[in-house]
Amino acid sequence: MKKQIALAMAGVLSVCLCACGSSGSGKTAGSSAAASQAAETSAAAESEKSGTGTGTGEPITINISHSYTEMDQVSVELNTAKKNIEERTNGAVTVNLYPNNTFGNLVDGVEAVMSNSPLMLMASYSQWEDIYYDASALQCGFVFNDGQEFLDVMESDLFKKLVSDMDEKNIHALNAAFVGGMRHVIGKKPYRNPEEIKGLKIRVPNSTTYLECFKAMGASPMGMAASEQMSALSSGVIDALDQSISLMYSTKSYEMVNQVTLLSQQPLADALFCSTTWWNSIPEEYREIIEDELHQAGLRYNKYSTENEGKMREEMEKAGVVFNDGDRQAFIDNGCGDLVLKYGIGQELLDTLADIRAKKK
């Protein structure tokens, strides 16, 4: 997979805007691409100083990688954003979309971003835990009651500080959140409390935050890419999935297992990330258009998820799916409620949420 990504990036870098001095890209693109990049470095550096991006007039190509299927509403909204960006920039910016991990897995995506490649990676904040640990607090288990609370936190001073700190690590979080409700458990039977979930082989995103959450719940989680989960469920490697209702619906996992336990343990919340160095090399007029369209795509997706979750559930129930209420408090009392306190911003996040909830009363 890394070889495929290297080849893809080599082709892209020869025609698109990229940040100067990206040592990772040069090493994987081959000698001809490296020579071409070296020849452009001086001009690129000069244009970056003036804040105008590339001075060659070449088109800007952006790759957007995500793990959602082409049938998912995320793909629908990103396709609309792509069309609008290309129209509003009169073709100066081209957007390539890679759904279902077709560009590479999340680990490869992180490596590409950190090497200043022209890539926007859709991922959870916890995907950056090795570079900025506190970002994982936003995906920690049993912190948020619903998806709207996640969006409310994004308007807080705490979140603004987190984004600023990530920028200093060369990770730019765009103002484009895709929140599809809360994650639950779908499997062969109900898993309503710590006793019933004990030892459950469940697929979760390959991130410490998700693994630790389900270990604390009593399960035996297995981290794997979303593109691998259905085959793992079919073969019996795992017995359950950690999904939101929208993911159950779009992946049709409910056709394989039909018992849903409503636990709302974590939000289905992703954002778009890219290299800060590369992002700042794009002319400001285009950055504004790109971010605006991706922000609007996130808003449309969030609205769609809120308005259609009930309809999705109804269709799944007609197909024989049983929805079971989980004892969320039992998991919190069993230690899951303290997971967030391991992070430096953990208590501040809880305090921020307490303020948000108080204002809504």
Side-chain angles (χ1 to χ4, degrees):
M1 180 59 74
K2 289 185 179 180
K3 183 177 180 181
Q4 293 175 352
I5 289 178
L7 291 173
M9 294 310 301
V12 171
L13 287 170
S14 65
V15 297
C16 73
L17 173 69
C18 70
C20 71
S22 175
S23 59
S25 300
K27 290 178 182 177
T28 60
S31 58
S32 61
S36 175
Q37 184 176 345
E40 295 173 1
T41 297
S42 177
E46 192 63 32
S47 62
E48 278 190 356
K49 290 178 183 179
S50 64
T52 58
T54 180
T56 63
E58 293 177 343
I60 300 167
T61 300
I62 297 174
N63 298 305
I64 298 180
S65 175
H66 64 91
S67 61
Y68 294 87
T69 67
E70 292 178 275
M71 298 294 294
D72 196 278
Q73 193 67 22
V74 167
S75 292
V76 174
E77 302 304 346
L78 287 177
N79 272 294
T80 299
K82 163 187 165 66
K83 177 177 177 291
N84 292 345
I85 290 170
E86 292 173 349
E87 287 183 354
R88 288 179 63 185
T89 61
N90 295 315
V93 177
T94 299
V95 179
N96 297 323
L97 301 176
Y98 294 88
N100 206 30
N101 294 129
T102 50
F103 193 86
N105 62 34
L106 288 169
V107 174
D108 295 325
V110 168
E111 291 179 358
V113 168
M114 297 313 296
S115 65
N116 299 325
S117 297
L119 175 71
M120 289 185 179
L121 178 67
M122 180 173 284
S124 67
Y125 280 85
S126 61
Q127 196 62 43
W128 307 96
E129 60 191 359
D130 290 340
I131 304 164
Y132 184 68
Y133 184 66
D134 273 0
S136 283
L138 293 175
Q139 247 80 34
C140 193
F142 298 93
V143 172
F144 299 94
N145 290 331
D146 54 48
Q148 184 57 49
E149 286 191 345
F150 188 95
L151 293 170
D152 291 339
V153 166
M154 290 188 69
E155 301 297 324
S156 69
D157 290 339
L158 170 63
F159 185 79
K160 292 174 184 176
K161 179 181 182 300
L162 184 145
V163 170
S164 177
D165 289 346
M166 292 183 74
D167 264 323
E168 292 181 4
K169 300 289 186 180
N170 198 34
I171 308 163
H172 181 66
L174 279 81
N175 183 17
F178 292 74
V179 180
M182 298 298 287
R183 305 177 80 101
H184 309 286
V185 176
I186 180 169
K188 298 178 179 179
K189 61 182 183 179
Y191 307 100
R192 294 164 291 209
N193 53 57
E195 185 61 33
E196 291 182 347
I197 208 171
K198 187 176 181 180
L200 174 66
K201 294 184 296 182
I202 182 170
R203 177 269 169 183
V204 299
N206 196 16
S207 169
T208 303
T209 309
Y210 295 96
L211 291 165
E212 288 185 347
C213 176
F214 276 91
K215 286 179 182 177
M217 292 169 70
S220 297
M222 300 178 66
M224 65 177 68
S227 56
E228 301 171 1
Q229 63 183 347
M230 300 308 291
S231 60
L233 185 62
S234 177
S235 64
V237 173
I238 55 175
D239 296 319
L241 301 174
D242 161 42
Q243 291 187 318
S244 67
I245 290 176
S246 62
L247 284 179
M248 296 173 201
Y249 186 82
S250 64
T251 63
K252 296 188 180 298
S253 59
Y254 65 89
E255 294 181 352
M256 300 174 67
V257 287
N258 68 351
Q259 293 288 327
V260 175
T261 306
L262 300 171
L263 287 170
S264 300
Q265 68 274 0
Q266 288 160 297
L268 174 64
D270 287 325
L272 285 164
F273 303 88
C274 63
S275 157
T276 301
T277 301
W278 171 71
W279 177 249
N280 289 337
S281 71
I282 299 175
E284 184 177 2
E285 62 178 309
Y286 295 147
R287 291 203 306 265
E288 291 179 355
I289 293 172
I290 293 164
E291 188 156 29
D292 176 57
E293 288 298 339
L294 292 174
H295 175 71
Q296 295 301 322
L299 291 180
R300 291 192 301 270
Y301 173 73
N302 301 340
K303 181 180 179 182
Y304 171 88
S305 298
T306 300
E307 293 179 348
N308 288 277
E309 186 173 279
K311 297 177 184 177
M312 294 177 195
R313 175 171 172 170
E314 185 177 335
E315 284 190 38
M316 290 165 63
E317 287 177 326
K318 288 180 180 179
V321 178
V322 179
F323 287 83
N324 305 276
D325 290 326
D327 188 351
R328 195 169 186 268
Q329 191 61 45
F331 290 102
I332 293 174
D333 294 341
N334 206 40
C336 293
D338 296 329
L339 290 172
V340 72
L341 297 177
K342 63 181 284 188
Y343 298 99
I345 65 169
Q347 187 58 56
E348 189 174 358
L349 176 57
L350 293 178
D351 293 342
T352 299
L353 278 167
D355 290 342
I356 290 171
R357 290 163 185 165
K359 291 177 182 178
K360 290 185 176 181
K361 289 182 178 179

mmCIF file of all heavy atoms in Angstrom, residues 262-288:
data_model
loop_
_atom_site.group_PDB
_atom_site.id
_atom_site.type_symbol
_atom_site.label_atom_id
_atom_site.label_comp_id
_atom_site.label_asym_id
_atom_site.label_seq_id
_atom_site.Cartn_x
_atom_site.Cartn_y
_atom_site.Cartn_z
ATOM 1 N N LEU A 262 -27.726 0.282 22.207
ATOM 2 C CA LEU A 262 -27.561 1.737 22.201
ATOM 3 C C LEU A 262 -26.781 2.159 23.450
ATOM 4 O O LEU A 262 -27.316 2.184 24.549
ATOM 5 C CB LEU A 262 -28.927 2.406 22.157
ATOM 6 C CG LEU A 262 -29.784 2.064 20.923
ATOM 7 C CD1 LEU A 262 -31.200 2.590 21.086
ATOM 8 C CD2 LEU A 262 -29.137 2.628 19.656
ATOM 9 N N LEU A 263 -25.509 2.517 23.249
ATOM 10 C CA LEU A 263 -24.644 2.890 24.364
ATOM 11 C C LEU A 263 -24.096 4.312 24.250
ATOM 12 O O LEU A 263 -23.703 4.905 25.255
ATOM 13 C CB LEU A 263 -23.469 1.901 24.471
ATOM 14 C CG LEU A 263 -23.828 0.513 25.016
ATOM 15 C CD1 LEU A 263 -22.653 -0.448 24.835
ATOM 16 C CD2 LEU A 263 -24.203 0.604 26.486
ATOM 17 N N SER A 264 -24.045 4.837 23.029
ATOM 18 C CA SER A 264 -23.527 6.206 22.826
ATOM 19 C C SER A 264 -22.182 6.395 23.517
ATOM 20 O O SER A 264 -21.940 7.409 24.165
ATOM 21 C CB SER A 264 -24.534 7.235 23.347
ATOM 22 O OG SER A 264 -25.766 7.134 22.681
ATOM 23 N N GLN A 265 -21.294 5.431 23.345
ATOM 24 C CA GLN A 265 -20.019 5.496 24.065
ATOM 25 C C GLN A 265 -19.068 6.563 23.521
ATOM 26 O O GLN A 265 -18.305 7.154 24.269
ATOM 27 C CB GLN A 265 -19.328 4.123 24.077
ATOM 28 C CG GLN A 265 -18.819 3.616 22.752
ATOM 29 C CD GLN A 265 -19.884 2.875 21.965
ATOM 30 O OE1 GLN A 265 -21.015 2.740 22.404
ATOM 31 N NE2 GLN A 265 -19.513 2.374 20.799
ATOM 32 N N GLN A 266 -19.136 6.827 22.235
ATOM 33 C CA GLN A 266 -18.261 7.828 21.624
ATOM 34 C C GLN A 266 -18.963 8.454 20.426
ATOM 35 O O GLN A 266 -19.831 7.820 19.812
ATOM 36 C CB GLN A 266 -16.939 7.167 21.171
ATOM 37 C CG GLN A 266 -16.016 6.774 22.310
ATOM 38 C CD GLN A 266 -14.991 5.724 21.890
ATOM 39 O OE1 GLN A 266 -15.351 4.607 21.522
ATOM 40 N NE2 GLN A 266 -13.713 6.079 21.961
ATOM 41 N N PRO A 267 -18.580 9.674 20.056
ATOM 42 C CA PRO A 267 -19.209 10.283 18.881
ATOM 43 C C PRO A 267 -18.576 9.775 17.596
ATOM 44 O O PRO A 267 -17.387 9.430 17.569
ATOM 45 C CB PRO A 267 -18.912 11.780 19.075
ATOM 46 C CG PRO A 267 -17.618 11.800 19.838
ATOM 47 C CD PRO A 267 -17.661 10.606 20.751
ATOM 48 N N LEU A 268 -19.384 9.696 16.547
ATOM 49 C CA LEU A 268 -18.828 9.503 15.210
ATOM 50 C C LEU A 268 -18.488 10.901 14.713
ATOM 51 O O LEU A 268 -19.349 11.612 14.194
ATOM 52 C CB LEU A 268 -19.833 8.832 14.281
ATOM 53 C CG LEU A 268 -19.385 8.723 12.813
ATOM 54 C CD1 LEU A 268 -18.165 7.827 12.685
ATOM 55 C CD2 LEU A 268 -20.523 8.213 11.939
ATOM 56 N N ALA A 269 -17.271 11.317 14.923
ATOM 57 C CA ALA A 269 -16.882 12.695 14.628
ATOM 58 C C ALA A 269 -15.536 12.711 13.918
ATOM 59 O O ALA A 269 -14.518 12.318 14.477
ATOM 60 C CB ALA A 269 -16.799 13.506 15.926
ATOM 61 N N ASP A 270 -15.555 13.162 12.689
ATOM 62 C CA ASP A 270 -14.336 13.281 11.894
ATOM 63 C C ASP A 270 -14.144 14.715 11.447
ATOM 64 O O ASP A 270 -15.089 15.513 11.425
ATOM 65 C CB ASP A 270 -14.404 12.373 10.665
ATOM 66 C CG ASP A 270 -14.246 10.904 11.017
ATOM 67 O OD1 ASP A 270 -13.480 10.602 11.949
ATOM 68 O OD2 ASP A 270 -14.896 10.058 10.375
ATOM 69 N N ALA A 271 -12.929 15.020 11.066
ATOM 70 C CA ALA A 271 -12.615 16.332 10.518
ATOM 71 C C ALA A 271 -11.612 16.134 9.395
ATOM 72 O O ALA A 271 -11.142 15.020 9.145
ATOM 73 C CB ALA A 271 -12.055 17.252 11.601
ATOM 74 N N LEU A 272 -11.280 17.210 8.714
ATOM 75 C CA LEU A 272 -10.288 17.158 7.642
ATOM 76 C C LEU A 272 -9.001 17.811 8.114
ATOM 77 O O LEU A 272 -9.011 18.921 8.667
ATOM 78 C CB LEU A 272 -10.817 17.862 6.392
ATOM 79 C CG LEU A 272 -11.863 17.066 5.604
ATOM 80 C CD1 LEU A 272 -12.612 17.969 4.637
ATOM 81 C CD2 LEU A 272 -11.205 15.907 4.853
ATOM 82 N N PHE A 273 -7.893 17.117 7.882
ATOM 83 C CA PHE A 273 -6.583 17.579 8.338
ATOM 84 C C PHE A 273 -5.604 17.596 7.174
ATOM 85 O O PHE A 273 -5.687 16.762 6.267
ATOM 86 C CB PHE A 273 -6.033 16.649 9.429
ATOM 87 C CG PHE A 273 -6.919 16.491 10.623
ATOM 88 C CD1 PHE A 273 -7.899 15.514 10.665
ATOM 89 C CD2 PHE A 273 -6.777 17.333 11.732
ATOM 90 C CE1 PHE A 273 -8.718 15.352 11.770
ATOM 91 C CE2 PHE A 273 -7.599 17.179 12.840
ATOM 92 C CZ PHE A 273 -8.572 16.188 12.857
ATOM 93 N N CYS A 274 -4.678 18.538 7.232
ATOM 94 C CA CYS A 274 -3.617 18.593 6.230
ATOM 95 C C CYS A 274 -2.376 19.201 6.873
ATOM 96 O O CYS A 274 -2.401 19.628 8.027
ATOM 97 C CB CYS A 274 -4.042 19.415 5.014
ATOM 98 S SG CYS A 274 -4.377 21.166 5.363
ATOM 99 N N SER A 275 -1.310 19.232 6.118
ATOM 100 C CA SER A 275 -0.075 19.853 6.601
ATOM 101 C C SER A 275 -0.266 21.367 6.704
ATOM 102 O O SER A 275 -0.732 22.008 5.761
ATOM 103 C CB SER A 275 1.065 19.540 5.630
ATOM 104 O OG SER A 275 2.100 20.493 5.729
ATOM 105 N N THR A 276 0.096 21.936 7.825
ATOM 106 C CA THR A 276 0.023 23.395 7.988
ATOM 107 C C THR A 276 0.928 24.091 6.981
ATOM 108 O O THR A 276 0.557 25.105 6.380
ATOM 109 C CB THR A 276 0.426 23.797 9.420
ATOM 110 O OG1 THR A 276 -0.445 23.151 10.357
ATOM 111 C CG2 THR A 276 0.330 25.307 9.611
ATOM 112 N N THR A 277 2.115 23.543 6.779
ATOM 113 C CA THR A 277 3.069 24.116 5.821
ATOM 114 C C THR A 277 2.479 24.128 4.423
ATOM 115 O O THR A 277 2.528 25.147 3.718
ATOM 116 C CB THR A 277 4.372 23.306 5.826
ATOM 117 O OG1 THR A 277 4.936 23.327 7.135
ATOM 118 C CG2 THR A 277 5.382 23.885 4.837
ATOM 119 N N TRP A 278 1.924 23.005 4.021
ATOM 120 C CA TRP A 278 1.327 22.933 2.676
ATOM 121 C C TRP A 278 0.109 23.849 2.577
ATOM 122 O O TRP A 278 -0.058 24.564 1.585
ATOM 123 C CB TRP A 278 0.926 21.489 2.361
ATOM 124 C CG TRP A 278 0.115 21.387 1.113
ATOM 125 C CD1 TRP A 278 0.542 21.569 -0.166
ATOM 126 C CD2 TRP A 278 -1.296 21.144 1.030
ATOM 127 N NE1 TRP A 278 -0.504 21.434 -1.048
ATOM 128 C CE2 TRP A 278 -1.643 21.169 -0.335
ATOM 129 C CE3 TRP A 278 -2.288 20.874 1.977
ATOM 130 C CZ2 TRP A 278 -2.945 20.956 -0.786
ATOM 131 C CZ3 TRP A 278 -3.582 20.659 1.536
ATOM 132 C CH2 TRP A 278 -3.904 20.704 0.178
ATOM 133 N N TRP A 279 -0.754 23.846 3.579
ATOM 134 C CA TRP A 279 -1.960 24.677 3.561
ATOM 135 C C TRP A 279 -1.605 26.152 3.405
ATOM 136 O O TRP A 279 -2.235 26.866 2.611
ATOM 137 C CB TRP A 279 -2.755 24.454 4.837
ATOM 138 C CG TRP A 279 -3.988 25.294 4.988
ATOM 139 C CD1 TRP A 279 -4.194 26.314 5.875
ATOM 140 C CD2 TRP A 279 -5.205 25.191 4.229
ATOM 141 N NE1 TRP A 279 -5.445 26.842 5.722
ATOM 142 C CE2 TRP A 279 -6.098 26.171 4.719
ATOM 143 C CE3 TRP A 279 -5.627 24.358 3.194
ATOM 144 C CZ2 TRP A 279 -7.375 26.348 4.205
ATOM 145 C CZ3 TRP A 279 -6.917 24.532 2.674
ATOM 146 C CH2 TRP A 279 -7.763 25.513 3.187
ATOM 147 N N ASN A 280 -0.597 26.595 4.120
ATOM 148 C CA ASN A 280 -0.211 28.009 4.050
ATOM 149 C C ASN A 280 0.435 28.379 2.725
ATOM 150 O O ASN A 280 0.584 29.571 2.419
ATOM 151 C CB ASN A 280 0.737 28.344 5.201
ATOM 152 C CG ASN A 280 0.037 28.366 6.548
ATOM 153 O OD1 ASN A 280 -1.184 28.549 6.619
ATOM 154 N ND2 ASN A 280 0.790 28.177 7.616
ATOM 155 N N SER A 281 0.828 27.393 1.927
ATOM 156 C CA SER A 281 1.430 27.678 0.626
ATOM 157 C C SER A 281 0.373 27.920 -0.454
ATOM 158 O O SER A 281 0.689 28.387 -1.545
ATOM 159 C CB SER A 281 2.343 26.514 0.199
ATOM 160 O OG SER A 281 1.589 25.373 -0.157
ATOM 161 N N ILE A 282 -0.874 27.613 -0.150
ATOM 162 C CA ILE A 282 -1.971 27.857 -1.096
ATOM 163 C C ILE A 282 -2.380 29.326 -0.994
ATOM 164 O O ILE A 282 -2.505 29.868 0.106
ATOM 165 C CB ILE A 282 -3.175 26.954 -0.776
ATOM 166 C CG1 ILE A 282 -2.786 25.485 -0.902
ATOM 167 C CG2 ILE A 282 -4.353 27.269 -1.697
ATOM 168 C CD1 ILE A 282 -3.897 24.531 -0.483
ATOM 169 N N PRO A 283 -2.584 30.000 -2.117
ATOM 170 C CA PRO A 283 -3.032 31.405 -2.065
ATOM 171 C C PRO A 283 -4.262 31.565 -1.179
ATOM 172 O O PRO A 283 -5.176 30.742 -1.207
ATOM 173 C CB PRO A 283 -3.341 31.718 -3.531
ATOM 174 C CG PRO A 283 -2.438 30.810 -4.305
ATOM 175 C CD PRO A 283 -2.381 29.540 -3.506
ATOM 176 N N GLU A 284 -4.276 32.633 -0.412
ATOM 177 C CA GLU A 284 -5.341 32.847 0.564
ATOM 178 C C GLU A 284 -6.724 32.852 -0.059
ATOM 179 O O GLU A 284 -7.680 32.333 0.521
ATOM 180 C CB GLU A 284 -5.110 34.160 1.309
ATOM 181 C CG GLU A 284 -6.136 34.416 2.412
ATOM 182 C CD GLU A 284 -5.843 35.687 3.200
ATOM 183 O OE1 GLU A 284 -4.867 36.379 2.869
ATOM 184 O OE2 GLU A 284 -6.608 35.990 4.130
ATOM 185 N N GLU A 285 -6.871 33.433 -1.252
ATOM 186 C CA GLU A 285 -8.190 33.494 -1.880
ATOM 187 C C GLU A 285 -8.746 32.092 -2.136
ATOM 188 O O GLU A 285 -9.952 31.851 -2.031
ATOM 189 C CB GLU A 285 -8.115 34.272 -3.199
ATOM 190 C CG GLU A 285 -7.204 33.641 -4.241
ATOM 191 C CD GLU A 285 -7.189 34.411 -5.542
ATOM 192 O OE1 GLU A 285 -8.281 34.696 -6.080
ATOM 193 O OE2 GLU A 285 -6.081 34.735 -6.020
ATOM 194 N N TYR A 286 -7.863 31.143 -2.440
ATOM 195 C CA TYR A 286 -8.296 29.770 -2.668
ATOM 196 C C TYR A 286 -8.520 29.035 -1.346
ATOM 197 O O TYR A 286 -9.433 28.212 -1.233
ATOM 198 C CB TYR A 286 -7.277 29.027 -3.518
ATOM 199 C CG TYR A 286 -7.139 29.569 -4.922
ATOM 200 C CD1 TYR A 286 -5.913 29.545 -5.586
ATOM 201 C CD2 TYR A 286 -8.231 30.107 -5.599
ATOM 202 C CE1 TYR A 286 -5.778 30.050 -6.874
ATOM 203 C CE2 TYR A 286 -8.108 30.612 -6.879
ATOM 204 C CZ TYR A 286 -6.876 30.580 -7.516
ATOM 205 O OH TYR A 286 -6.763 31.081 -8.794
ATOM 206 N N ARG A 287 -7.694 29.335 -0.350
ATOM 207 C CA ARG A 287 -7.892 28.710 0.965
ATOM 208 C C ARG A 287 -9.282 29.032 1.502
ATOM 209 O O ARG A 287 -9.960 28.176 2.065
ATOM 210 C CB ARG A 287 -6.832 29.175 1.965
ATOM 211 C CG ARG A 287 -5.440 28.672 1.691
ATOM 212 C CD ARG A 287 -4.578 28.676 2.960
ATOM 213 N NE ARG A 287 -4.534 29.959 3.622
ATOM 214 C CZ ARG A 287 -3.598 30.876 3.452
ATOM 215 N NH1 ARG A 287 -2.600 30.672 2.587
ATOM 216 N NH2 ARG A 287 -3.628 32.005 4.124
ATOM 217 N N GLU A 288 -9.707 30.279 1.324
ATOM 218 C CA GLU A 288 -11.012 30.692 1.829
ATOM 219 C C GLU A 288 -12.131 29.927 1.136
ATOM 220 O O GLU A 288 -13.089 29.488 1.783
ATOM 221 C CB GLU A 288 -11.194 32.200 1.624
ATOM 222 C CG GLU A 288 -10.284 33.047 2.523
ATOM 223 C CD GLU A 288 -10.457 34.535 2.283
ATOM 224 O OE1 GLU A 288 -11.225 34.903 1.347
ATOM 225 O OE2 GLU A 288 -9.837 35.333 3.002
#
